[in-house]
C-alpha cells in the first residue's frame, strides 16, 4: 500500500487535517472495540496536537478522551515534568488545556521512579534501570502491541521514534520496546518502539513541517535505496497504511504529488 502525502500551505491546515485523521480512526476503532489506542511522538508534534485537539473546537468536540489509551512511540529517560519529556510536552500542551469536565484518557508513561541520573545524560547512571524501564513499558503495551494510530515525526536526519540512521536498534526483532543510551540527538538515554510494533499498527502518520525537512523528504521519496528509519517505515509492506501530513515548504522540490485529506 503506497504512502499517501497530504500537503497544505498553512500550518493550521496541516494540524486540522491531522485532527480529522485522528477522529476518523478514533471512530473506526470505537466501532469495533472499546478503546482507541494511539501512540504519540515528541518534538514538533506537540504543537500540532494542541492546534488540532484543543484549539480547533469542532475537532475538540469529537474527541472521546475517556476512550483513549495514549502511549509514546519514544520517550526520553528524564523525569516526566522535565522539558525534554515527550509525556511532559503532551501534558503541558494538551492534557492541561482540557476543560475540567473532561474525563482524562489513560496515559501510559515510563515509570519515573526508575529514572536515574540527571537530564537523560549517560554519566553515573544505572543502565540496568533503563532496561527495566523499557521492559516495564513493553509489559503495558496493548494486546498484541496493536495500535490504531501511531503518530510519528521525522527528524532532519531521517530518524523516527528514537530509531536513528545506521543504529543497531533498526534490526531489533525480539524486544518491542528497546532502550538506547547513545542517541545522537540529546538526551542520549531514551526508550523507543521497535520495528515489530510499527509493522503491526493499523495506521501510521508522519507529521513534518518546515523547509528544514525538505532535504530529508527528498531523500526519502526520491532515493529508493536509502535505509533511513523514516524511509523503512514509509515502505512497510505489512499492511499498515502510512500517511504523511506536511506543509508545502517541507516538500519544496520533492518529486511527489500530494493530495488533500
Ligand atoms: O527526538 C525526537 O525527535 C523526533 C522528531 O522530532 P521533530 O521535532 O523533528 O518532529 C520525534 O518524533 C521524537 O518523538 C523525539 O523524541
Amino acid at each position: 500500500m503506497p504512502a499517501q502525502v497530504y500537503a497544505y500551505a498553512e500550518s493550521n491546515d496541516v494540524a486540522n487535517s491531522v485532527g480529522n485523521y485522528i477522529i476518523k480512526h478514533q471512530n473506526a476503532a470505537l466501532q469495533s472495540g472499546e478503546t482507541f489506542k494511539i501512540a504519540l511522538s515528541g518534538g514538533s508534534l506537540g504543537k500540532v496536537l494542541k492546534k488540532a485537539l484543543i484549539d480547533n473546537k469542532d475537532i475538540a468536540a469529537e474527541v472521546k478522551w475517556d476512550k483513549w489509551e495514549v502511549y509514546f512511540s519514544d520517550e526520553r529517560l528524564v523525569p516526566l515534568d522535565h522539558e525534554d519529556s515527550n509525556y511532559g510536552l503532551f501534558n503541558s500542551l494538551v492534557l492541561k488545556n482540557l476543560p475540567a469536565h473532561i474525563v482524562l484518557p489513560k496515559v501510559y508513561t515510563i515509570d519515573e521512579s526508575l529514572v536515574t541520573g540527571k537530564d537523560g545524560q549517560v554519566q553515573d547512571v544505572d543502565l540496568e534501570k533503563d532496561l527495566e524501564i523499557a521492559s516495564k513499558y513493553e509489559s503495558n503495551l496493548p494486546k498484541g502491541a496493536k495500535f490504531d494510530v501511531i503518530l510519528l515525526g521525522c527528524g532532519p536526519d531521517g530518524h523516527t521514534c528514537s530509531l536513528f540512521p545506521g543504529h543497531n536498534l533498526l534490526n531489533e526483532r525480539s524486544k518491542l520496546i528497546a532502550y538506547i543510551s547513545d542517541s545522537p540527538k540529546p538526551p542520549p538515554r531514551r526508550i523507543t518502539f521497535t520495528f515489530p510494533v510499527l509493522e503491526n499498527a493499523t495506521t501510521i502518520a508522519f507529521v513534518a513541517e518546515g523547509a528544514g525537512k525538505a532535504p530529508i523528504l527528498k531523500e526519502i521519496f526520491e532515493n529508493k535505496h536509502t535505509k533511513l528509519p523514516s524511509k523503512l517505515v514509509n515502505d512497510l509492506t505489512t499492511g499498515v497504511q502510512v500517511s504523511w501530513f506536511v506543509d508545502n515548504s517541507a516538500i519544496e522540490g520533492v518529486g511527489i504529488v500530494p493530495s488533500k485529506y
Side-chain angles (χ1 to χ4, degrees):
M1 208 177 322
Q4 292 290 313
V5 181
Y6 303 105
Y8 304 88
E10 302 295 329
S11 190
N12 268 345
D13 294 329
V14 176
N16 293 337
S17 192
V18 171
N20 288 324
Y21 166 92
I22 293 172
I23 297 300
K24 176 178 152 189
H25 291 288
Q26 167 202 268
N27 293 344
L30 295 178
Q31 284 212 327
S32 52
E34 306 266 293
T35 61
F36 173 53
K37 296 169 189 66
I38 184 168
L40 309 176
S41 295
S44 53
L45 185 69
K47 284 187 185 148
V48 175
L49 293 174
K50 177 173 183 293
K51 280 189 213 160
L53 305 176
I54 301 291
D55 300 345
N56 183 321
K57 298 302 171 205
D58 294 331
I59 295 174
E62 293 193 59
V63 182
K64 298 187 168 52
W65 285 111
D66 58 327
K67 306 267 191 267
W68 280 39
E69 290 187 8
V70 178
Y71 293 78
F72 295 91
S73 72
D74 71 325
E75 183 56 287
R76 289 89 178 273
L77 298 184
V78 293
L80 296 174
D81 61 358
H82 191 282
E83 61 179 354
D84 284 336
S85 164
N86 287 342
Y87 162 78
L89 182 76
F90 178 63
N91 186 40
S92 63
L93 291 177
V94 177
L95 296 177
K96 283 198 168 156
N97 286 311
L98 288 173
H101 69 272
I102 296 286
V103 177
L104 292 175
K106 173 91 183 113
V107 182
Y108 291 87
T109 64
I110 55 168
D111 181 344
E112 191 181 30
S113 72
L114 295 173
V115 173
T116 57
K118 224 177 136 239
D119 297 335
Q121 301 302 318
V122 191
Q123 296 87 352
D124 306 324
V125 296
D126 185 348
L127 292 179
E128 285 293 313
K129 285 265 192 298
D130 293 2
L131 173 63
E132 199 179 337
I133 293 170
S135 308
K136 205 162 171 185
Y137 204 73
E138 178 167 327
S139 70
N140 285 327
L141 288 178
K143 195 163 168 245
K146 182 84 185 161
F147 284 92
D148 301 305
V149 171
I150 300 179
L151 293 179
L152 296 177
C154 170
D157 58 352
H159 84 269
T160 192
C161 307
S162 283
L163 297 169
F164 289 87
H167 198 281
N168 56 17
L169 282 186
L170 298 178
N171 302 316
E172 178 61 55
R173 302 299 312 173
S174 56
K175 292 187 174 66
L176 301 176
I177 302 289
Y179 82 95
I180 169 170
S181 48
D182 58 356
S183 159
K185 177 179 173 181
R189 290 168 49 230
R190 298 152 171 245
I191 60 165
T192 182
F193 280 10
T194 58
F195 266 90
V197 180
L198 298 165
E199 289 164 6
N200 203 27
T202 303
T203 61
I204 289 179
F206 285 94
V207 183
E209 290 186 74
K213 296 281 163 82
I216 204 70
L217 292 197
K218 196 170 174 59
E219 175 79 1
I220 289 167
F221 287 101
E222 293 185 10
N223 179 357
K224 60 177 188 246
H225 301 296
T226 183
K227 298 278 183 252
L228 290 171
S230 297
K231 169 73 168 170
L232 298 175
V233 176
N234 183 67
D235 290 354
L236 285 176
T237 53
T238 50
V240 48
Q241 180 204 319
V242 178
S243 305
W244 288 77
F245 292 87
V246 300
D247 65 352
N248 289 343
S249 57
I251 53 162
E252 179 84 47
V254 182
I256 43 177
V257 183
S259 327
K260 288 269 178 291
Y261 191 72

